Amino acid sequence: MTDMDTERQTMLADMAAGVFAGIGWQAEFDRDWPRMAELGFSGLLLSEDEGGFGGSWSDLLVVARLAGEHALALPVLESAVASRLVAGLEFEGVGTLAPSSDGELSGDTWSGTLSAVPWGRHAGFVIAGEEGGAVAIDTSDAQITERTGLSGEPRDTLALQNARAVRVDGGPLALGAAIRAMQIAGALGKALAISANYVSERQQFGRPLAKFQAVQQSLAQMAMESAAADCAAFELARSLDRDDASFETAAAKTRAGMAASTGAALAHQVHGAIGFTREYALHHLTRRMLAWRSEFGGEAYWSERLGRTIVAAGADRLWSDLVARTDP
């Protein structure tokens, strides 16, 4: 990483942290999205010639971790990825990613159904999987069934008939999995910080909870899970910048999902269950983590893909291949 990269990411972090902290899980699209658009988050991955920020996937990781840390309820990441995939094409409005689709591309039109689309009701276009790649679909005339996911965020169903469509490079499932893994890393880090602060202040039998060995063990395990999710997300971003991230995407989404499950349980255990209430930030962090864990493929899906890749290459090559990927 160059000094310029570090300076750019510090600037991004300062800007995003301040804005996201003031909105967080209470964000409302109609009220808060104009500010996100004004700050240019959708153009984070576009070059300056394309009217964007000229950022990298490592820059997106900075924003994604902060979005997760604040349980931000806005499609900042989905729109940044979708905008990159349609760069140079004439699509308008907010873009997002469809984790699931059932339809058919015929020439330059697409008919079918898009399911569980994040903020689909607000989207001008959606990136969906298509045989041999992906397709950008104009959803301005979609019939929309509004739904809410486990995270409490919009996850809508869109029905389309002969909608304008253009093939694009990049898979929405893998890219969606990548941003969810990054968000989980941020949310778990914040849940750890909240938990550590709570057990330091809360007292039982005349001493802080943090002095009890069982609580210390829970925090240590939670810190380990948080570090694992962070490392996986960091390596994933580096691999995306190299445009060779199929292995890292599968590994990061699998590891982040495992960390989300263990971390959420431990966070609520050390809180003695008070963290379940909606008024407390931990509720929104763990609710998001557990929802993101399943979106764009869960551990079973990605671990199977990872296993098939390793078997196809030959198990005796695993270590040398891992070394080669982490030290290209």
Side-chain angles (χ1 to χ4, degrees):
M1 183 183 294
T2 66
D3 291 343
M4 186 175 294
D5 293 334
T6 302
E7 183 179 347
R8 184 175 65 245
Q9 291 179 9
T10 300
M11 181 188 72
L12 257 179
D14 290 343
M15 177 178 70
V19 175
F20 295 172
I23 301 174
W25 61 271
Q26 294 177 309
E28 295 180 10
F29 186 90
D30 291 338
R31 182 191 65 197
D32 298 314
W33 185 255
R35 190 175 182 197
M36 297 296 114
E38 181 183 353
L39 292 172
F41 284 113
S42 295
L44 181 60
L45 295 174
L46 297 177
S47 68
E48 293 182 8
D49 291 340
E50 294 165 332
F53 180 79
S56 64
W57 286 97
S58 295
D59 296 332
L60 185 78
L61 172 61
V62 172
V63 176
R65 287 197 78 265
L66 287 166
E69 182 178 321
H70 295 288
L72 183 70
L74 289 172
V76 168
L77 306 171
E78 290 88 344
S79 68
V81 174
S83 294
R84 172 169 172 149
L85 296 182
V86 300
L89 303 175
E90 294 183 358
F91 283 92
E92 297 183 351
V94 180
T96 186
L97 310 173
S100 177
S101 62
D102 181 12
E104 183 177 3
L105 179 67
S106 177
D108 57 357
T109 65
W110 192 90
S111 300
T113 302
L114 306 172
S115 303
V117 181
W119 285 273
R121 71 195 67 173
H122 300 294
F125 65 95
V126 174
I127 309 298
E130 177 63 30
E131 186 175 355
V135 61
I137 305 169
D138 186 330
T139 56
S140 55
D141 293 326
Q143 292 185 351
I144 300 171
T145 303
E146 296 188 357
R147 301 183 187 280
T148 302
L150 175 63
S151 63
E153 301 168 315
R155 297 292 185 265
D156 302 321
T157 299
L158 280 63
L160 297 121
Q161 191 68 36
N162 297 322
R164 173 178 169 255
V166 178
R167 281 192 178 276
V168 296
D169 294 329
L173 186 68
L175 293 174
I179 60 177
R180 291 293 182 261
M182 295 175 185
Q183 287 173 289
I184 288 172
L188 185 52
K190 182 68 173 182
L192 173 62
I194 291 174
S195 300
N197 185 60
Y198 176 80
V199 299
S200 296
E201 294 181 349
R202 185 82 171 181
Q203 295 206 356
Q204 190 76 26
F205 306 116
R207 57 178 179 161
L209 289 173
K211 295 293 185 183
F212 291 88
Q213 189 175 29
V215 174
Q216 292 172 352
Q217 183 176 359
S218 294
L219 283 182
Q221 188 178 357
M222 198 174 166
M224 182 186 70
E225 295 295 331
S226 177
D230 255 337
C231 289
F234 176 77
E235 195 56 40
L236 169 58
R238 285 210 319 164
S239 301
L240 285 165
D241 282 330
R242 296 195 306 265
D243 199 23
D244 178 21
S246 58
F247 185 92
E248 286 78 5
T249 298
K253 187 61 163 61
T254 301
R255 191 63 187 89
M258 296 164 60
S261 177
T262 304
L266 289 169
H268 286 290
Q269 285 172 13
V270 300
H271 275 80
I274 71 161
F276 282 108
T277 58
R278 286 177 179 271
E279 293 76 14
Y280 196 56
L282 186 64
H283 167 98
H284 303 281
L285 290 168
T286 55
R287 184 179 180 183
R288 296 280 198 282
M289 281 195 293
L290 295 176
W292 294 336
R293 176 190 175 195
S294 300
E295 291 184 346
F296 296 98
E299 290 110 281
Y301 175 82
W302 287 108
S303 59
E304 181 178 348
R305 288 192 57 164
L306 197 60
R308 289 183 183 278
T309 300
I310 293 169
V311 169
D316 57 338
R317 289 184 50 85
L318 176 58
W319 183 249
S320 58
D321 285 349
L322 284 176
V323 171
R325 296 193 72 84
T326 54
D327 188 21

